[in-house]
Amino acid sequence: MTKNKVNITDLFVAAKKNESYVKVCAPMVRYSKVQFRTLIKNYGVDLSFTPMIIADSFCQNAKARASEFSTTVDDSPLVVQFAANNVADFVDASTLVYPYSDGVDLNCGCPQRWAMKDGYGCALLLKPELIHDLVKGVKRNLSSDFSVSVKIRILSELKNTINLCHQLENCGINFITVHGRTPLQKSGDGIDVDALQQVCESVRIPVIANGGIKSLEDADHLYNTLKCDGIMAASGLLSNPALFSGAKSTPLDCIRLWMDIKNQNVDKITFQCYHHHLVFMLDKILSKQQKQEFNYLSTFESVDEFLLEYILNNYNSVPQPKYNLSEFVACEFADEITLKHSSKCRGCSKSLYYCICSKYDCNDIDGNFFKSYVKQYDELDYMCSNIFDETNL
């Protein structure tokens, strides 16, 4: 089954023509899967991101590909977000999803320590030359109408943020998403609107602003302040998938539609996904005692019985969604790419095809391999590496 695809640049052109903005669902680990993307599309979301996917795992492991990425014929516009720290993984992962998506995004904004430790997310903000190589690698290898974007956080020095955005623009990215907090700030901290505004004014490519969006009023206010090209919401959409429609909390028809989407293809959704989304949706609806009961439910049947008894008991309408869960696409990933990643080096952790370790020659008996190895690594002064200087983030 062929996937319907769009040119993401056209979304920004159309929004600007209508004096509006593109409404975007953020990449959310475990949550922004195809069923949820279908749900929110019925409530005003124009563009969705997949959850962040680790590029090397996606290339190396068939199970990772099956669990991390699924899509339907009408699951578009769609951007696949990857965490990558080398060009080979990012290019190969992007090539694998190219037939099934409208663009890829490089995560340079994840502040979690595990990601920083492995050179992903915010760690890349300290390596603009690597970001350049990652982006250019995909741009050189894939079609020009396939979107390549980057998601960043603002840096403590605003001029560094603007310089980075200029560099990314010069790389040829199609748009940039800027989270209005630094890597060291917590999710509850306020966003730096002034920094976002200066970024919007300094580049010509579309800018999506992200951070602190809990309602349509929040989104409209930030857009009117920044005159940006898009507004991205994350946790606000989890709590209220109808956020961009103007609903103050999750409407009953949204809850019923979520149940219907599950029923359309129950073997394609995990109970954890179905239940966890409802935990968020019902947060402002259930009493404390009801929440305790609901959180301990463990089967599809028990959840649906609870919803019909306590939430949808007076709801007699039948949702008439514009977008239903369409036919799933059987993604076929090219062997010429996946086979390059079939084995992993224990030294550098890269696929053997791209291994960067010094090769040991069993016929070399003069000790030169060991001398060169020691020399190569002893000359590195790790304490001078600014990746450990978190104050620079």
Side-chain angles (χ1 to χ4, degrees):
M1 181 62 65
T2 304
K3 174 74 182 281
N4 295 328
K5 299 183 69 171
V6 301
N7 189 323
I8 289 178
T9 300
D10 292 343
L11 295 178
F12 297 106
V13 173
K16 193 166 188 177
K17 185 178 179 180
N18 294 327
E19 298 183 344
S20 184
Y21 58 93
V22 178
K23 300 172 178 67
V24 188
C25 172
M28 293 179 282
V29 175
R30 295 186 300 276
Y31 294 116
S32 49
K33 303 264 181 149
V34 61
Q35 291 86 356
F36 186 69
R37 298 194 296 264
T38 302
L39 177 70
I40 58 179
K41 201 172 176 182
N42 285 283
Y43 295 95
V45 170
D46 302 309
L47 173 63
S48 289
F49 282 59
T50 68
M52 181 185 75
I53 301 171
I54 307 299
D56 69 340
S57 297
F58 190 78
C59 292
Q60 293 170 358
N61 195 303
K63 289 184 178 179
R65 291 190 290 274
S67 65
E68 295 298 328
F69 182 76
S70 61
T71 187
T72 61
V73 173
D74 298 324
D75 182 25
S76 183
L78 177 65
V79 171
V80 181
Q81 188 187 71
F82 286 112
N85 57 17
N86 68 82
V87 175
D89 287 342
F90 189 43
V91 171
D92 284 352
S94 299
T95 304
L96 290 174
V97 300
Y98 170 76
Y100 312 112
S101 62
D102 305 298
V104 291
D105 184 80
L106 177 64
N107 184 310
C108 297
C110 180
Q112 297 184 47
R113 287 191 177 274
W114 71 264
M116 299 277 288
K117 176 179 174 291
D118 290 339
Y120 299 126
C122 288
L124 291 174
L125 296 176
L126 303 172
K127 301 177 180 180
E129 70 288 345
L130 177 55
I131 299 176
H132 171 275
D133 292 344
L134 289 162
V135 170
K136 296 296 281 187
V138 175
K139 296 293 287 185
R140 280 194 299 265
N141 283 276
L142 296 178
S143 172
S144 59
D145 61 358
F146 187 69
S147 175
V148 181
S149 57
V150 177
K151 187 173 187 290
I152 68 170
R153 283 181 173 242
I154 58 173
L155 299 165
S156 55
E157 290 288 337
L158 179 57
K159 64 179 181 179
N160 293 336
T161 307
I162 293 176
N163 287 339
L164 176 60
C165 292
H166 284 156
Q167 292 171 343
L168 292 172
E169 183 176 36
N170 292 335
C171 287
I173 63 173
N174 296 81
F175 67 90
I176 185 171
T177 303
V178 185
H179 188 111
R181 302 183 182 95
T182 69
L184 297 180
Q185 285 184 284
K186 305 297 183 183
S187 59
D189 295 342
I191 62 171
D192 191 335
V193 177
D194 291 336
L196 288 173
Q197 188 162 23
Q198 292 192 52
V199 168
C200 291
E201 293 171 353
S202 68
V203 296
R204 297 181 300 277
I205 57 173
V207 177
I208 296 175
N210 174 221
I213 303 301
K214 303 299 182 186
S215 66
L216 180 61
E217 289 76 13
D218 290 340
D220 287 343
H221 178 71
L222 190 59
Y223 164 71
N224 289 325
T225 301
L226 303 178
K227 295 303 178 186
C228 54
D229 302 276
I231 298 291
M232 176 182 283
S235 60
L237 275 174
L238 286 180
S239 298
N240 178 15
L243 181 154
F244 281 122
S245 72
K248 302 296 183 183
S249 59
T250 305
L252 294 182
D253 60 85
C254 181
I255 296 171
R256 178 71 218 198
L257 181 55
W258 181 238
M259 182 190 293
D260 291 346
I261 288 174
K262 179 264 296 180
N263 291 335
Q264 287 171 27
N265 229 314
V266 70
D267 61 323
K268 295 286 189 178
I269 186 171
T270 65
F271 172 78
Q272 183 184 48
C273 177
Y274 180 61
H275 184 240
H276 280 197
H277 273 293
L278 286 167
V279 169
F280 285 108
M281 292 184 209
L282 300 174
D283 183 58
K284 295 181 180 179
I285 299 175
L286 299 180
S287 66
K288 185 176 180 179
Q289 184 176 353
Q290 287 175 323
K291 287 179 183 179
Q292 291 176 342
E293 179 182 349
F294 186 79
N295 289 349
Y296 281 100
L297 298 178
S298 58
T299 65
F300 287 115
E301 293 76 16
S302 61
V303 168
D304 288 353
E305 288 174 4
F306 182 98
L307 293 177
L308 293 171
E309 181 175 356
Y310 296 108
I311 308 299
L312 301 173
N313 51 318
N314 293 319
Y315 180 78
N316 299 315
S317 301
V318 178
Q320 300 293 328
K322 183 177 180 181
Y323 303 100
N324 277 302
L325 192 66
S326 54
E327 184 176 351
F328 275 80
V329 176
C331 298
E332 297 179 358
F333 300 112
D335 287 345
E336 63 188 62
I337 295 176
T338 58
L339 289 177
K340 291 191 294 186
H341 297 268
S342 59
S343 298
K344 187 175 181 179
C345 174
R346 294 183 179 181
C348 63
S349 296
K350 298 181 183 297
S351 300
L352 283 178
Y353 187 90
Y354 297 112
C355 176
I356 61 174
C357 295
S358 300
K359 303 298 184 182
Y360 172 61
D361 184 356
C362 62
N363 295 316
D364 187 358
I365 59 174
D366 61 4
N368 285 334
F369 170 82
F370 298 100
K371 291 177 183 177
S372 63
Y373 185 88
V374 172
K375 181 180 180 182
Q376 177 185 353
Y377 288 93
D378 277 358
E379 286 181 349
L380 290 177
D381 184 357
Y382 291 103
M383 297 311 294
C384 291
S385 175
N386 62 1
I387 193 171
F388 294 101
D389 185 3
E390 295 191 1
T391 59
N392 290 336
L393 290 175

